[in-house]
């Protein structure tokens, strides 16, 4: 069969961790010859609706994107182009006839990386640097914090938001400040934090993407997001003609392979690793549910 | 309260302040040089971006770090030249030309970066400048870590402050720059070319600005990101006024700003749980305005700033 | 050696010729990055034209994009006329949007014919008040307004974020930093079904006419022009310079605030901290392109909007990085800037002194 | 004139210079020779082309036709590269411009050495420059504080810096464009004494002036331009004042004379006014102006005249003291109120304070009364009424312009002054404050201003005339007071005064000062 036409609309550049995962999954599908793939990056919200319509008008079979700040408009456009399938990042539910949603539900691996961090910290201070305090970020940070305190009730957290998605020098400074305050593990929500950890020779926790190769000996553990389960299902559904306005969010769960937990066993304590692995199994078996908490995390020091 | 003093007395804090201030020092010195010659350069935000991209790209392509610095300076000079041509002999509005240059430099940098590297899912990295560990000096108690664990570009920035002060106040060229920013006809009637002095100054000033961008990708970090300049250029425009167009005060202003920023980051973790983070982030801007009101207002600004000069026209 | 000599009134044909030449130069220049990206220029240009004018949708999108630009362009034009360098339209736009949301999301319930004007008024007022600060600092204390307005942009944006994460956050927004939606009675009606174009455009056009009329025909306009062209002489002639600056500041801020109202109440329906992709800064460009003429602002805004929308659409159709759109806008801007010079000046090329004459 | 012996003396020759600005021929085929050690006065009405000619000579402008020849260090005349001030300076031409060309933010020394060294150099040779200047200063008597910033210098000192700039570069030709327009009589005298000394040392000098007396007193030769063409070139000894005026204007100038006045009741009174500190402060100034009189205020510029005018104009509130008009307290009146009270003001800097250049003549004529019902209704401007009025005023005051809609900036200084006169005097004000009203104007325009002031006086207005020109003051004023360092002497009948006494008082010697 001919490859289906897929377009993606990103409100940030494709290098941004989040979007890079979607981009990666789509590129893989393209490489397999299932789809043709084109994207617009850094699209301002003002322009988002026009871009959606343009892709729809161009006869795209599937449009992938982030509806977070343009929820209403995105749903309206989708309703007007019933022949195009829309798969949008969204905090809300799907909508008939063609508006499916997804989100980065990797709170589970975040909890696990929190367990590793909690048992690895010597100073009992963990620094966390985020971009903006939005639910998608808060959720993971809260799960991480919960995981850490579950193994180490004494651990304290420093939380800073730098109010930018891409200002690594600033993120790095925020991280340095935390090291000055005694943090010996840094939660790297943004680019720049792991660099600070590496420079100060302490450990960092990765988020969404695996950067262990870039910072050998620094990344203690990571919670990874994989868009392939989501994208592949959606693409197959479009090809089959069976695309439904469903919530693809769960495909980011660990049980579907949408989220995964990695730990550098050379850096982490063996007991901690086995505890986390046990918890991982519980999660996979559906015996343990990680709480979803979208409220803004605060420093506890 | 105690906490605040602890922060202010820690060497790491001052090291961070100087580090954060470094791109601003380049920027404000560059802006100050241009404005001393009578040309407001609102292209600075774009020139920062161009410097960040070009310098990084050069290193990534194998030019070596100092080669990258040179390339960044040339990129800055290139956009400075555009601004200079538009505003000096052509006498176009400095505001709009500057904003045009910002648009142009930014979009061109992004376009080149993306076209050259279409398939990166994570930004490629270079081996950036490392802090110099100057043997004895960096071991000094407080001063050591604060001053002497910086990367070479920070020292370059500090050197440029001195060099600019010397240039302005001690050399014939400096006199000409100061004069052309005050009364271009004073320069022309002494047989010098107003256009040459102004254009040369704007080009040089822009090259210096670009180093601020280069610092971001080659020293503060090791990769290029879209939007990473993040308003730093505009801050420099404000700092220039704050500094009353004097290199020494420019350094102090940049350091103050850096200190606010470093302080803000540290304070946020202290009391961030009950005060919205944005309030901290506002602090440097609010304090800049306050400083303008109480310190720098009515500074004697270059009188010919913003005024185009046409030979033989009245 | 090049020399510029001022030229008198410009004929319409010359103006057209120069504008066309500028457009042509911009297209030629834009072909360079296009070639770099492997695009055929001709194809790209026809796609651009199609993207801005090729369909009702494209055309209304272009107008929708031009709407805030007209208003921020007017904000800059009127301020710059008085030599009040308001670089803060971006912040005033957000202030206007914030006020519109504060009024229009349920705080007040009233029928549309009351609520819409109230929302607009609140936005205009908020924008105006934001500009009042720098204006008074300038007139009372001599603080440079370029800097204060510029810095205020950052402060206001942070304030908006603070409000959106705090008291004004939409409780139904799943924790996203966004405001509650504007009530239907408070929203600016759409001009066309299924299109995004809204009454903000009419407001913007009316504002352009209003500002034109104000500057041209009223005492206040006279005073604004006098203060802008020569504040010392205006003061000497008994014109209240400070009051004029305050009026101009309020008006300029109000226009920018209205742009924010249009974006939030006409287009998006709720406020987020990334409402504007720099409309405030583009407004300065629009105003200067228009030579600070209020009517010219409309055309300059349409020009910028059509270049952007057209180029953006073209980049999408060809799969080239969409940063190309901004690049083409920037190039077009620079070309138009340079061309303006040929309207105002005669350019003469003068050779160095000929050695022939000296030898003689 | 072209004899071989004289040829050797010629240091500068303008040969058939023509310069056009659009339709306007500013210089038409002007030729001129200048000999070593000669002082040449260049005369002409406003707009006759004097400045243009000198700007061509110095390379600011490029002539459309003709050339400039200079005698480069005795090797005979050779052509000067056109359009290059640098070349002009190199070949020994120095110029003091009509408007100062000094950077206010630099010291006098730095202004002088600016451009005399290689730009790209690690050091600026201030020390040797200082030595050379010290020597120059003693030789020429041009005393200036070398290390003071220009912004702190008086007009006379700035003038001297300008001349030093030229001498420092070993100029052999010195051009001065209206050097005395802003100087006091004493300063002018000193300047000319210096110039004579320099010319005796071999410097060739061209100066432009509208003051015929000093031309007669100080020049060897006179050249007159009219409408851009040279209409006369003759030794000063063969001229007299009347002949010069005629040559410039093309017809005879009738000097305005003041008839015996009949001063009436007091109109305007300043009591004990103090304001400001520093150079331009006022200290306890008392002044009474009666109707039907002209009260002259003499003084060296920079002694508080500007502040006095600003205070009376309502632009600056006094720190202490009272101002009353016809008995009513008007101390706090702002500019608007002052105008409405019937006080007309002619500003000393007409370009800065007098007109809004880009606005039209008719708008500039209406600017002070723009809120009056004749110019607006419900806040809307009444353009036709404004134009109508403007046309009448243009006729009545003989304002030369291309119509009421042309931008005011295109007018010559004299005609700009007429705009100011027309709009301030037409409403028949009770009081007229005229600050330096004829500064920089040619004889024709000056006599026009004088006539207007006398007409106002004749219909019963009181006029305050602030001027540095003693002749003008003596001719027009009924009484004269002297301002020095912010203190105003009590006014005395003009008949009881003479130039010498006034000059001394202006310099701060003799005469009682108001306490
Ligand atoms: N740059 C210019 N552009 C247009 N016209 C000019 C320019 N410079 C001089 N002119 C015109 O040339 C004529 C001669 O002017 P110029 O300044 O030489 O007169 P002037 O004799 O020096 O008068 P004044 O005694 O008032 O100084 C004037 O009509 C003037 O308007
Ligand atoms: N920039 C200009 N463009 C066109 N015409 C000009 C320009 N400047 C001056 N003129 C014309 O030249 C004439 C003389 O103007 P100018 O300013 O040279 O007078 P001026 O001789 O210098 O007067 P002065 O110094 O008293 O007062 C004016 O009538 C005006 O029409
Ligand atoms: Mg003149
Ligand atoms: Mg002249």
């Amino acid at each position: 069969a001919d490859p289906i036409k897929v377009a993606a609309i990103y409100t940030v550049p494709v290098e941004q961790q989040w979007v890079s995962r979607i981009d990666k999954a789509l590129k893989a599908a393209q490489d397999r010859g299932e789809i043709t793939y084109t994207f617009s990056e850094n699209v301002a919200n003002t322009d988002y609706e026009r871009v959606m319509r343009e892709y729809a008008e161009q006869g795209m079979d599937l449009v992938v994107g982030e509806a977070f700040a343009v929820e209403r408009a995105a749903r309206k456009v989708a309703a007007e182009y019933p022949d195009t399938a829309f798969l949008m990042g969204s905090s809300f539910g799907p909508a008939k006839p063609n508006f499916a949603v997804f989100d980065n539900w990797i709170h589970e691996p975040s909890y696990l990386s929190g367990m590793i961090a909690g048992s690895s910290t010597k100073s009992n201070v963990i620094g966390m640097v985020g971009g903006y305090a939005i639910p998608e970020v808060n959720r993971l940070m809260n799960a991480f914090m919960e995981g850490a305190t579950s193994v180490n009730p004494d651990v304290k957290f420093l939380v800073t938001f730098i109010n930018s998605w891409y200002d690594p020098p600033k993120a790095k400074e925020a991280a340095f400040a935390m090291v000055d305050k005694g943090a010996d593990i840094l939660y790297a929500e943004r680019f720049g934090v792991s660099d600070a950890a590496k420079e100060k020779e302490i450990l960092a926790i990765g988020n969404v993407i695996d950067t262990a190769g870039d910072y050998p000996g620094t990344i203690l553990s990571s919670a990874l997001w994989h868009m392939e389960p989501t994208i592949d299902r959606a693409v197959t559904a479009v090809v089959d003609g069976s695309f439904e306005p469903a919530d693809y969010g769960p495909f980011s769960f660990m049980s579907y392979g949408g989220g995964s937990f990695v730990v550098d066993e050379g850096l982490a304590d063996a007991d901690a690793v086995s505890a986390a692995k046990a918890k991982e199994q519980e999660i996979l078996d559906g015996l343990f549910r990680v709480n979803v908490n979208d409220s803004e995390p605060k420093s506890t020091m | 309260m105690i906490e605040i003093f602890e922060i202010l007395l820690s060497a790491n804090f001052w090291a961070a302040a100087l580090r954060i201030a470094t791109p601003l020092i380049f920027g404000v010195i560059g802006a100050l040089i241009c404005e001393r010659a009578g040309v407001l350069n609102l292209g600075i935000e774009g020139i920062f971006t161009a410097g960040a991209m070009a310098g990084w790209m050069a290193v990534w392509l194998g030019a070596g770090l100092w080669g990258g610095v040179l390339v960044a300076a040339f990129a800055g000079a290139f956009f400075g030249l555009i601004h200079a041509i538009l505003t000096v002999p052509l006498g176009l509005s400095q505001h709009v030309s500057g904003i045009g240059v910002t648009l142009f430099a930014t979009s061109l940098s992004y376009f080149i970066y993306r076209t050259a590297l279409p398939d990166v899912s994570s930004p490629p990295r270079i081996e950036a400048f490392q802090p110099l560990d100057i043997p004895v000096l960096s071991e000094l108690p407080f001063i050591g870590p604060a001053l002497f664990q910086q990367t070479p570009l920070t020292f370059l920035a500090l050197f440029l402050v001195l060099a600019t002060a010397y240039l302005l106040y001690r050399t014939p060229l400096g006199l000409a720059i100061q004069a052309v920013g005050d009364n271009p006809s004073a320069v022309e009637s002494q047989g010098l070319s107003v256009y040459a002095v102004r254009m040369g100054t704007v080009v040089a000033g822009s090259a210096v600005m670009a180093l601020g961008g280069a610092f971001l990708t080659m020293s503060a970090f090791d990769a290029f990101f879209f939007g990473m300049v993040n308003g730093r250029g505009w801050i420099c425009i404000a700092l220039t006024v704050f500094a009353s167009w004097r290199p020494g005060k420019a350094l102090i202003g940049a350091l103050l700003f850096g200190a606010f920023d470093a302080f803000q980051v540290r304070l946020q973790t202290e009391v961030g749980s009950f005060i919205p983070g944005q309030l901290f982030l506002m602090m440097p801007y609010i304090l800049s305005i306050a400083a303008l009101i109480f310190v720098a207002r009515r500074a004697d600004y270059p009188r010919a700033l913003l005024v185009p000069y046409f030979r033989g026209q009245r | 050696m090049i020399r510029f000599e001022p030229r008198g009134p410009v004929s319409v044909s010359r103006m057209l010729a120069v504008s066309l030449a500028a457009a042509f130069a911009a297209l030629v220049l834009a072909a360079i990055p296009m070639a770099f990206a492997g695009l055929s220029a001709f194809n790209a240009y026809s796609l651009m034209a199609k993207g801005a004018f090729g369909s009702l949708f494209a055309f209304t999108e272009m107008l929708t994009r031009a709407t805030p630009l007209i208003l921020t362009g007017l904000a800059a034009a009127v301020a710059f006329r008085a030599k009040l360098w308001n670089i803060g339209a971006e912040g005033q736009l957000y202030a206007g949007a914030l006020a519109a949301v504060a009024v229009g999301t349920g705080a007040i319930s009233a029928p549309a014919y009351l609520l819409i004007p109230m929302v607009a008024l609140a936005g205009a007022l908020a924008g105006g008040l934001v500009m009042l600060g720098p204006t008074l600092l300038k007139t009372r204390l001599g603080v440079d307004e370029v800097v204060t307005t510029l810095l205020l942009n950052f402060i206001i944006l942070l304030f908006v974020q603070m409000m959106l994460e705090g008291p004004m956050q939409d409780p139904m927004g799943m924790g996203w930093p966004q405001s509650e939606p504007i009530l239907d009675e408070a929203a600016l009606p759409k001009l066309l079904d299924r299109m995004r174009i809204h009454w903000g455009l009419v407001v913007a056009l009316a504002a352009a006419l209003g500002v034109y009329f104000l500057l041209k025909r009223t005492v206040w306009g006279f005073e604004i022009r006098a203060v802008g062209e020569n504040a010392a002489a205006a003061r000497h002639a008994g014109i209240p310079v400070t009051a004029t600056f305050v009026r101009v500041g309020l008006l300029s801020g109000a226009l920018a605030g209205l742009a924010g109202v249009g974006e939030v109440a006409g287009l998006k329906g709720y406020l987020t901290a990334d409402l504007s992709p720099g409309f405030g800064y583009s407004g300065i460009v629009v105003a200067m392109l228009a030579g600070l003429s209020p009517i010219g602002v409309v055309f300059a805004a349409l020009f910028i909007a059509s270049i952007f929308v057209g180029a953006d659409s073209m980049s999408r159709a060809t799969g080239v990085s969409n940063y190309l759109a901004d690049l083409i806008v920037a190039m077009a801007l620079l070309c138009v800037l340079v061309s303006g010079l040929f309207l105002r000046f005669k350019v003469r090329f003068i050779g160095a002194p000929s050695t022939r004459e000296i030898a003689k | 004139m072209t004899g071989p012996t004289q040829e050797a003396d010629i240091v500068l020759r303008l040969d058939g210079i023509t310069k056009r600005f659009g339709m306007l021929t500013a210089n038409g085929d002007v030729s001129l020779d200048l000999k070593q050690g000669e002082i040449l006065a260049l005369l002409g009405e406003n707009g006759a082309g004097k400045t243009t000619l000198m700007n061509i000579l110095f390379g600011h402008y490029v002539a459309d036709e003709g050339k400039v020849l200079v005698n480069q260090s005795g090797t005979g005349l050779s052509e000067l590269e056109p359009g290059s001030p640098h070349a002009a300076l190199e070949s020994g031409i120095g110029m003091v411009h009509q408007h100062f060309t000094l950077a206010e933010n630099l010291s006098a020394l730095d202004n002088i050495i600016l451009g005399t060294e290689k730009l790209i150099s690690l050091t600026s040779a201030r020390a040797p420059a200082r030595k050379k200047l010290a020597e120059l200063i003693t030789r020429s008597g041009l005393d200036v504080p070398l290390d003071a910033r220009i912004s702190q210098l008086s007009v006379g000192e700035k003038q001297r810096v300008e001349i030093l700039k030229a001498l420092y570069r070993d100029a052999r030709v010195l051009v001065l464009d209206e050097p005395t327009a802003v100087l006091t009589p004493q300063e002018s005298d000193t300047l000319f004494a210096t110039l004579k000394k320099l010319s005796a040392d071999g410097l060739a000098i061209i100066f432009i002036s509208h003051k015929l007396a000093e031309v007669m007193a100080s020049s060897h030769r006179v050249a007159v331009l009219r409408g851009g063409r040279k209409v006369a070139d003759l030794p000063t000894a063969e001229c007299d004042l009347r002949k010069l005026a005629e040559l410039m204007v093309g017809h005879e100038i009738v000097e305005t004379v003041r008839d015996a006045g009949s001063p009436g009741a007091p109109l305007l009174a300043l009591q004990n006014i103090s304001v400001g500190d520093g150079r331009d402060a006022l200290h306890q100034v008392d002044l009474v102006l009666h109707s039907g009189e002209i009260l002259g205020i003499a003084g060296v510029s920079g002694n508080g005249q500007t502040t006095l005018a600003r205070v009376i104009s309502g632009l600056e509130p006094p720190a202490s003291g009272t101002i009353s008009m016809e008995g009513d307290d008007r101390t706090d009146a702002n500019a608007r109120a002052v105008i409405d009270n019937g006080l007309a003001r002619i500003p000393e800097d007409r370009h800065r304070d007098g007109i809004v250049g880009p606005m039209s003549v008719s708008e500039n004529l209406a600017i002070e009364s723009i809120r009056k019902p004749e110019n607006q209704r419900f806040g809307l401007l009444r353009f036709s009424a404004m134009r109508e009025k403007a046309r009448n005023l243009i006729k009545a005051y003989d304002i030369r312009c291309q119509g009421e809609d042309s931008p005011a900036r295109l007018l010559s200084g004299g005609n700009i002054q007429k705009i100011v006169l027309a709009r301030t005097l037409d409403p028949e004000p009770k009081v007229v404050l005229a600050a330096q009203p004829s500064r920089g104007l040619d004889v024709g325009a000056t006599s026009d201003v004088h006539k207007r002031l006398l007409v106002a006086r004749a219909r019963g207005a009181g006029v305050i005339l602030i001027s540095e020109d003693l002749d003008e003051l003596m001719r027009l004023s009924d009484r004269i007071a002297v301002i020095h360092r912010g203190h105003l002497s009590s006014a005395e009948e003009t008949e009881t005064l003479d130039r010498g006494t006034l000059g001394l008082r202006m310099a701060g010697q003799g005469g009682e000062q108001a306490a």
Side-chain angles (χ1 to χ4, degrees), chain A residues 12-13 38-51 53-55 57-58 67-73 76 80-81 90-92 103 132-136 138-139 163 165 294 296, chain C residues 51 57 61 65 158 161 165 170 172-181 190 194-196 263 267-270 272 274-277 279 308-309 312-317 319-323:
Chain A
V12 290
T38 138
F39 68 86
S40 289
E41 62 182 325
N42 229 1
V43 174
N45 282 324
T46 321
D47 301 318
Y48 205 93
E49 184 175 339
R50 180 176 70 253
V51 179
R53 283 178 192 272
E54 276 182 2
Y55 278 137
E57 291 282 346
Q58 283 178 22
F68 295 109
V70 285
E71 205 67 67
R72 252 165 267 272
K76 204 174 61 195
E80 287 174 23
Y81 294 94
S90 166
S91 303
F92 293 87
D103 207 343
Y132 293 94
I134 57 160
E136 320 303 308
N138 299 346
R139 180 185 303 158
N163 254 45
W165 289 132
D294 286 354
E296 181 178 338
Chain C
F57 169 70
E61 276 297 313
R65 176 109 190 164
L158 285 163
Q161 284 175 12
E165 286 176 22
D170 183 2
M172 312 285 282
M174 310 288 280
W176 278 84
Q178 63 188 37
S179 76
E180 286 182 70
K190 300 277 179 227
R194 292 164 52 93
M195 301 290 157
R196 293 206 293 166
E263 288 307 279
L267 198 60
K268 283 198 59 188
Y270 54 96
T272 56
D274 48 10
L275 181 74
S276 157
F279 287 134
F308 179 83
V309 171
D312 190 42
S313 156
M314 176 270 284
S315 76
R316 203 158 298 115
V320 173
S321 159
N322 51 322
Y323 295 113

Side-chain angles (χ1 to χ4, degrees), chain C residues 57-75:
Chain C
F57 169 70
F59 187 62
T60 56
E61 276 297 313
M62 188 276 283
L63 292 177
T64 309
R65 176 109 190 164
T67 302
L69 290 177
I70 295 174
L71 286 165
T72 54
L74 288 173

Side-chain angles (χ1 to χ4, degrees), chain D residues 256-262 292 454 457-458 475-478 495:
Chain D
T256 42
V257 275
R258 169 173 56 99
D259 52 7
S262 52
L454 287 172
R457 166 179 177 265
R475 197 134 31 89
L476 296 181
S477 316
D478 297 287
E495 280 66 32

